[in-house]
């Protein structure tokens, strides 16, 4: 069983991380200037901790916080268009206690799901550099070790998929990336019985254009539940 206290301790270390000067400066500047619509918000402005159920069997692995979404609210996918798309689906599938994610004190609870990302600080233009992604890998490695019930990882976007495979290579689960191609809906079972499901990222760019629809995303999380034996 995943330990709530050790995962909470890990989150406490993550929020103090300063390894990427460019990202830390950007997040602080966004938090200082703010968007006019959120002028009365006190932005989080720090690395965003992971969120969810320490006993989770399913992980949703995203790319990075949004500058005015989770960099503002301090919780993954909370307070932006991606979260407005994603949380109602997580609610329908049974992972989330409510469909609306507004702030970190809105009462949302996750059951059976852990949400995290391959970079934990909002990057300019949503693009962390390869070095910044490398800096952030120890957090994912440790988190995966602590989530002892984990059976399925839903990778939201190609960068998350690449990050998960890089993790699997570091851990010796796989020795090559050959045969692991990113495509929406692709599913792989890694040695050690970890199932990986690839999905398009629920960015506005994908959801507003119909590249990723509600039905497609529902199908991904329903499959994840089933694959996790839930
Ligand atoms: S992106 Fe990751 S490694 Fe870089 S400062 Fe943020 S938490 Fe630390």
């Amino acid at each position: 069983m995943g330990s709530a206290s050790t995962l909470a301790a890990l989150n406490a270390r993550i929020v103090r991380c300063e390894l990427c000067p460019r990202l830390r400066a950007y997040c602080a500047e966004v938090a200082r200037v703010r968007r006019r619509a959120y002028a009365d918000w006190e932005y989080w402005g720090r690395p965003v901790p992971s969120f969810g159920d320490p006993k989770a069997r399913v992980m949703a692995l995203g790319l990075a916080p949004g500058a005015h979404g989770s960099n503002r609210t301090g919780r993954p996918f909370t307070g932006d268009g991606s979260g407005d798309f994603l949380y109602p689906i997580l609610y329908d599938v049974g992972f989330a206690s409510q469909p609306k994610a507004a702030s970190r004190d809105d009462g949302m609870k996750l059951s059976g799901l852990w949400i995290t990302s391959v970079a934990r600080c909002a990057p300019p233009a949503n693009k962390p550099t390869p070095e910044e992604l490398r800096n952030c890998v120890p957090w994912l490695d440790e988190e995966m070790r602590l989530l002892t019930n984990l059976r399925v990882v839903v990778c939201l976007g190609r960068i998350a998929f690449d990050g998960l495979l890089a993790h699997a290579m570091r851990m010796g689960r796989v020795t090559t990336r050959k045969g692991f191609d990113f495509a929406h809906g692709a599913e792989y079972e890694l040695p050690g019985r970890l199932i990986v499901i690839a999905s398009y990222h629920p960015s506005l760019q994908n959801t507003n254009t119909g590249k990723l629809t509600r039905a497609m995303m529902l199908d991904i999380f329903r499959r994840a539940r089933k694959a996790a034996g839930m």
Side-chain angles (χ1 to χ4, degrees):
M1 178 186 297
S3 161
S5 59
T6 45
L7 283 159
L10 178 63
N11 267 341
R13 287 165 53 212
I14 288 170
V15 301
R16 295 195 302 269
C17 182
E18 298 278 350
L19 271 177
C20 307
R22 182 185 82 117
L23 299 187
R24 296 306 322 120
Y26 177 70
C27 291
E29 181 63 6
V30 171
R32 188 185 68 77
V33 176
R34 300 177 224 179
R35 184 175 273 173
R36 184 177 296 181
Y38 305 123
D40 55 349
W41 269 78
E42 189 172 331
Y43 274 50
W44 177 256
R46 286 178 276 158
V48 175
S50 306
F51 174 53
D53 179 357
K55 299 180 207 156
R57 291 190 187 189
V58 177
M59 170 186 279
L61 181 63
L63 167 59
H68 300 277
S70 44
N71 183 56
R72 170 172 61 90
T73 61
R75 197 175 67 189
F77 290 106
T78 299
D80 62 13
S82 298
D84 291 346
F85 176 84
L86 188 62
Y87 276 104
I89 289 167
L90 297 179
Y91 173 71
D92 281 359
V93 178
F95 284 122
S97 63
Q98 57 190 55
K100 174 80 183 149
S103 72
R104 30 181 217 290
D105 0 316
D106 61 8
M108 175 80 76
K109 297 258 184 304
L110 299 183
S111 171
L113 181 71
W114 186 258
I115 305 181
T116 188
S117 54
V118 288
R120 291 144 201 275
C121 294
N126 292 322
K127 286 201 177 102
T129 65
E131 185 188 357
E132 288 159 353
L133 287 166
R134 275 196 301 276
N135 286 345
C136 221
V137 298
W139 299 130
L140 180 65
D141 289 353
E142 198 160 341
E143 198 161 42
M144 297 282 288
R145 188 176 61 77
L146 293 172
L147 289 165
T148 49
N149 288 346
L150 195 63
R151 295 193 188 172
V152 178
V153 180
V154 175
C155 296
L156 299 170
R158 184 185 294 274
I159 295 175
F161 181 76
D162 289 345
L164 194 275
L165 283 177
H167 162 83
M169 289 189 71
R170 284 193 301 280
M171 297 299 117
R173 273 187 198 265
V174 294
T175 52
T176 173
R177 280 217 41 169
K178 209 164 169 235
F180 297 104
D181 298 319
F182 178 83
H184 180 83
E187 183 171 329
Y188 303 96
E189 181 166 345
L190 306 186
R193 299 178 68 86
L194 184 70
I195 292 168
V196 179
I197 301 177
S199 166
Y200 292 141
H201 188 280
S203 63
L204 288 181
Q205 201 181 10
N206 287 339
T207 57
N208 280 348
T209 56
K211 183 175 179 182
L212 177 64
T213 64
R214 177 179 166 77
M216 289 163 72
M217 191 95 267
L218 263 172
D219 180 58
I220 291 282
F221 280 100
R222 283 189 179 131
R223 278 173 52 194
R225 256 190 110 82
K226 196 165 172 206
M230 296 172 74

